[in-house]
C-alpha cells in the first residue's frame, strides 16, 4: 500500500510503498478514504513537538482521518467490518496519510450519516480545538463577545460557527478573501489584520481565542473586559500581564481521549456546523497539499483523498 512517510525529523515527506498494517488486539484496520492536514503534521515532521510527541521512525504522517473498517482485531466489540468511522489516534501513532491504517478502536467513532468521509476527517483536531477551547476552556456564554484570530483557518472556521451557535457576538481577524469567508460563516464583524489594527477595534470582548500567538496575543489583552478570558493554542500567555489586567489567560492543549471525540462529532452535527473544505488533493498531489499547509495561509481545511 502507499503511505506518506518521513525517516527522521525534518525529512521531506514522501509517498512510499510499504507493507499493509495488521490490526493488533483492540484495533481496527481501516481503509482510509480521506485524511485532513493540520499544522500539527508540520510541527511533528519538523520535530518541534519531540518533547511531547517523540516519534518512532520511519513515521507515517496523518492524525485525522476517516474511512471504512476492513478487519477487526481481537477484543473489538464496538465496530464491525464495513462500518464508516472517523479516527484520531495519539499523534505519536499517526498513520492517516496511507491507504490503510491500523488504529485503536478506542480512538475511533462512527461517521454520522449526514457527513462524508472528507468532512469527517476534518473534524478531530481543528473542530476539537475550536469546541473545547471556546466552550470548555474559555466557557463562552450566550450574549458574550468573542474575538477569534485567524477566523478563516482550520480551527477558526469551526470556531466562528460554534461561537455563533452558542449565541455569542463573533469578531474575527482574517485577510484578503478570508474576510468574506469568515463573514459567510457567521462572523458579525471581520477585521482585515493586514490593513486594519485589530487592537483599535473599539469594542471590548469577553473572550479571545488566540490562534496566532506572539504580538497578536500580547496586543489582544487590551481588548478584554475585566474578568475576560484569553485562551491560546499557540504559546503560553503572560500570567503577570493577565493578573495586572484582571483577566484570565491560559494555554490550551487538545485532549480527545475517552468519549471526547464522540462529544465533538455530536456537537458538529447538533449545532449544524458546516465542515468547510477548501481543497481536496489525491495522494499523488501530496507535495502541493503539504506546501499549502506549511504556508500558514490556508482557508478552512485541506483534505488528502486516499
Ligand atoms: N495547542 C493545541 O492543542 C492546538 C490544537 C490545534 C491547533 N493548534 C495551533 O493553532 C494554530 C491555528 O491552527 P489552524 O489549524 O487554524 O491553522 P491554519 O488552518 O493553518 O490557519 C491558517 C490561517 O491563519 C491565518 N493567519 C495567519 N497569520 C495571521 C495573523 N497574523 N492574524 C490573523 N490570521 C492569520 C491565515 O489567514 P491569511 O491567509 O489571511 O493570513 C489562515 O487563514 C496553529 O498554530 C496550530 O498549531 C494548537
Amino acid at each position: 500500500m502507499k503511505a506518506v512517510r518521513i525517516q527522521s525529523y525534518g525529512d521531506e515527506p514522501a509517498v512510499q510503498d510499504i507493507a499493509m498494517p495488521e490490526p493488533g488486539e483492540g484495533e481496527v484496520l481501516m481503509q482510509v478514504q480521506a485524511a485532513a492536514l493540520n499544522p500539527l503534521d508540520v510541527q511533528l515532521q519538523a520535530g518541534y513537538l519531540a518533547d511531547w510527541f517523540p516519534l518512532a521512525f520511519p513515521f507515517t504522517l496523518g492524525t485525522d482521518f476517516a474511512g471504512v473498517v476492513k478487519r477487526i482485531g481481537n477484543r473489538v466489540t464496538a465496530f464491525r467490518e464495513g462500518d464508516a468511522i472517523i479516527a484520531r489516534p495519539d499523534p505519536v501513532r499517526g498513520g492517516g496519510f496511507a491507504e490503510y491504517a491500523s488504529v485503536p478502536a478506542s480512538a475511533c467513532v462512527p461517521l454520522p450519516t449526514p457527513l462524508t468521509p472528507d468532512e469527517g476527517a476534518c473534524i478531530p483536531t481543528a473542530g476539537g480545538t475550536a469546541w473545547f477551547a471556546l466552550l470548555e476552556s474559555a466557557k463562552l456564554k450566550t450574549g458574550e463577545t468573542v474575538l477569534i484570530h485567524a477566523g478563516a483557518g482550520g480551527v477558526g472556521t469551526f470556531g466562528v460557527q460554534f461561537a455563533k451557535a452558542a449565541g455569542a457576538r463573533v469578531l474575527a481577524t482574517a485577510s484578503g478573501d478570508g474576510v468574506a469567508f469568515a463573514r459567510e460563516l457567521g462572523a458579525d464583524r471581520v477585521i482585515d489584520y493586514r490593513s486594519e489594527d485589530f487592537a483599535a477595534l473599539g469594542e471590548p470582548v469577553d473572550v479571545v481565542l488566540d490562534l496566532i500567538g506572539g504580538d497578536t496575543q500580547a496586543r489582544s489583552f487590551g481588548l478584554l473586559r475585566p474578568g475576560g478570558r484569553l485562551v491560546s493554542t499557540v504559546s503560553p500567555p503572560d500570567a503577570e500581564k493577565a493578573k495586572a489586567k484582571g483577566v484570565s489567560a491560559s494555554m490550551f492543549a487538545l485532549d480527545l481521549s475517552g468519549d471526547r471525540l464522540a462529544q465533538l462529532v455530536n456537537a458538529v452535527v447538533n449545532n449544524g456546523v458546516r465542515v468547510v473544505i477548501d481543497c481536496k488533493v489525491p495522494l499523488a498531489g501530496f507535495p502541493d497539499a503539504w506546501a499549502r499547509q506549511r504556508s500558514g495561509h490556508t482557508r478552512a481545511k485541506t483534505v488528502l483523498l486516499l
Side-chain angles (χ1 to χ4, degrees):
M1 68 161 196
K2 295 200 182 304
V4 178
R5 291 198 135 185
I6 53 172
Q7 310 297 327
S8 61
Y9 291 123
D11 185 27
E12 200 56 29
V15 179
Q16 297 177 352
D17 286 304
I18 63 166
M20 290 265 293
E22 288 288 322
E25 188 167 299
E27 295 180 352
V28 300
L29 177 71
M30 184 207 284
Q31 180 174 10
V32 183
Q33 293 171 316
L37 282 83
N38 288 287
L40 176 60
D41 303 307
V42 175
Q43 292 155 5
L44 288 169
Q45 177 264 352
Y48 299 152
L49 303 176
D51 288 345
W52 295 273
F53 302 123
L55 305 184
F57 297 105
F59 179 75
T60 301
L61 290 161
T63 59
D64 293 30
F65 44 104
V68 174
V69 175
K70 280 291 162 191
R71 277 171 53 203
I72 55 171
N74 289 334
R75 298 181 189 276
V76 173
T77 52
F79 299 106
R80 287 186 303 189
E81 285 176 24
D83 284 352
I85 56 173
I86 301 171
R88 208 298 190 159
D90 189 303
V92 293
R93 205 178 153 109
F97 298 166
E99 291 173 317
Y100 292 87
S102 196
V103 197
S106 58
C108 301
V109 295
L111 175 77
T113 320
L115 298 179
T116 64
D118 310 6
E119 292 167 334
C122 293
I123 294 173
T125 299
T129 300
W131 172 254
F132 290 112
L134 284 171
L135 280 305
E136 193 175 77
S137 300
K139 299 187 171 47
L140 181 66
K141 292 180 204 67
T142 307
E144 290 191 320
T145 298
V146 58
L147 170 63
I148 300 177
H149 286 297
V155 176
T157 46
F158 281 100
V160 166
Q161 297 181 80
F162 278 135
K164 277 311 284 181
R169 171 167 167 76
V170 181
L171 316 181
T173 57
S175 83
D177 61 350
V179 171
F181 195 70
R183 263 205 208 107
E184 267 169 44
L185 292 172
D188 297 289
R189 186 173 167 195
V190 185
I191 299 106
D192 188 327
Y193 75 88
R194 292 185 199 268
S195 57
E196 297 167 66
D197 181 6
F198 75 83
L201 63 80
E203 199 177 336
V205 305
D206 302 285
V207 169
V208 172
L209 178 59
D210 166 37
L211 304 174
I212 300 296
D215 189 49
T216 299
Q217 181 191 98
R219 296 173 71 241
S220 296
F221 275 99
L223 296 169
L224 283 166
R225 286 197 173 98
R229 290 92 72 199
L230 181 147
V231 175
S232 178
T233 64
V234 181
S235 53
D238 184 336
E240 292 298 312
K241 195 165 187 169
K243 198 171 163 197
K245 293 259 175 204
V247 300
S248 74
S250 57
M251 176 72 193
F252 174 85
L254 180 62
D255 169 14
L256 282 175
S257 61
D259 64 358
R260 290 166 69 83
L261 180 57
Q263 273 180 46
L264 163 65
V265 173
N266 284 339
V268 169
V269 174
N270 296 341
N271 286 293
V273 166
R274 197 151 62 87
V275 179
V276 189
I277 300 174
D278 185 48
C279 175
K280 296 185 194 183
V281 180
L283 190 52
F286 179 79
D288 292 340
W290 186 251
R292 283 170 67 94
Q293 187 60 61
R294 201 151 48 178
S295 77
H297 296 287
T298 48
R299 302 278 168 267
K301 298 302 298 171
T302 299
V303 170
L304 193 61
L305 302 175
L306 281 312

